[in-house]
Amino acid sequence: VNLNILLLNLSEDFVLTLDQEEGSVCDIETIFTDSIKNFKIKANLSENSSITGYFADFSEGNLKSVIDVNLNGEGAEGIIKIASLSAKNDSKEFATSIYHNNKRTHGLSDCYGVSKDEGKLVFSGVSKIEKNAKLSKTIQNAKIMVFDPQSQAVAKPILKIDEKIRNEVKEMTEMCGQMHAIDNCQCDVKKGEGCSSPLCPSNYENLYQVIGK
């Protein structure tokens, strides 16, 4: 099942819940130009399903957005991309959270914005990897350009990894570091070839990847 959704200038307190079947694909495109107060989108993804959301915000006034993506099925993927402008005395917050509840899931939260005049822009949210979500990976990007001294910008993405998974990754990373003598740059990275081991710390710069059996 393929679903394409176009949302323009949502009404106040708009709520959308999506329950995706196995193997389904959903694309959401949203453009805000008029004033909007609050909206919430929740997506529940089954095995091998995916959702990609694009949100372009040029509205005036205050805005609170909550986007929750639950990757419940193995191989599910959630990608959220946001661009926002906060100007004059606007106050805007985009809280984007992706929850990895199964193996081999992939999440990407990509948020970019501009804050000018006395505007305030906040990018927040959580990427959480549960203990049974091995071989999953998540990426969080949150960047805001500040134009004026009175402008405010807050980027506070949070990564949560189940303690059991965290310890497994730490042990494997340390093992690979000893094997390749990363501290002394003795692995293939020194030769410009890149380390062939998936456990090597050099292979997940800017990427949180959970490695399991």
Side-chain angles (χ1 to χ4, degrees):
V1 177
N2 293 334
L3 179 64
N4 295 302
I5 301 175
L6 176 62
L7 303 174
L8 300 175
N9 295 324
L10 304 178
S11 59
E12 185 174 345
D13 298 324
F14 175 86
V15 177
L16 174 64
T17 300
L18 297 169
D19 294 315
Q20 293 186 223
E21 299 177 348
E22 179 179 346
S24 62
V25 177
C26 179
D27 290 329
I28 300 178
E29 297 181 14
T30 304
I31 301 175
F32 308 137
T33 56
D34 295 340
S35 177
I36 175 176
K37 297 294 184 182
N38 304 294
F39 77 91
K40 182 174 182 178
I41 295 177
K42 182 178 181 179
N44 303 307
L45 277 66
S46 301
E47 184 176 354
N48 294 322
S49 61
S50 67
I51 185 170
T52 304
Y54 302 93
F55 299 85
D57 167 44
F58 304 102
S59 64
E60 294 183 359
N62 300 334
L63 166 63
K64 177 63 182 292
S65 155
V66 177
I67 301 172
D68 291 334
V69 179
N70 296 300
L71 305 177
N72 297 326
E74 182 174 346
E77 178 180 69
I79 297 174
I80 302 296
K81 298 192 175 188
I82 296 173
S84 178
L85 169 65
S86 183
K88 299 180 180 178
N89 61 346
D90 297 347
S91 179
K92 300 181 178 181
E93 179 175 359
F94 291 84
T96 304
S97 298
I98 300 178
Y99 301 96
H100 299 258
N101 301 319
N102 214 320
K103 297 184 295 183
R104 297 180 175 85
T105 54
H106 174 253
L108 170 62
S109 174
D110 232 358
C111 302
Y112 295 87
V114 172
S115 181
K116 66 188 298 291
D117 304 323
E118 296 181 2
K120 180 179 181 180
L121 181 58
V122 179
F123 289 141
S124 62
V126 176
S127 290
K128 185 176 182 181
I129 299 177
E130 298 290 355
K131 62 182 179 181
N132 60 331
K134 294 184 177 182
L135 291 168
S136 294
K137 49 190 175 183
T138 191
I139 302 174
Q140 302 165 296
N141 294 314
K143 298 181 180 180
I144 304 172
M145 183 177 293
V146 177
F147 272 23
D148 298 298
Q150 298 79 19
S151 307
Q152 298 182 59
V154 180
K156 51 179 182 181
I158 298 172
L159 174 69
K160 292 184 178 181
I161 302 178
D162 182 88
E163 192 62 29
K164 180 180 178 181
I165 292 291
R166 186 188 297 274
N167 290 336
E168 289 181 5
V169 173
K170 184 175 183 294
E171 291 172 1
M172 292 178 179
T173 300
E174 290 175 349
M175 180 177 64
C176 185
Q178 294 168 4
M179 183 169 58
H180 292 286
I182 297 297
D183 291 339
N184 297 320
C185 195
Q186 296 299 314
C187 72
D188 293 339
V189 175
K190 182 177 181 180
K191 304 174 185 177
E193 300 172 0
C195 177
S196 59
S197 171
L199 305 181
C200 181
S202 65
N203 282 334
Y204 42 96
E205 179 182 2
N206 300 322
L207 175 67
Y208 298 97
Q209 181 168 354
V210 179
I211 303 168
K213 297 180 180 179

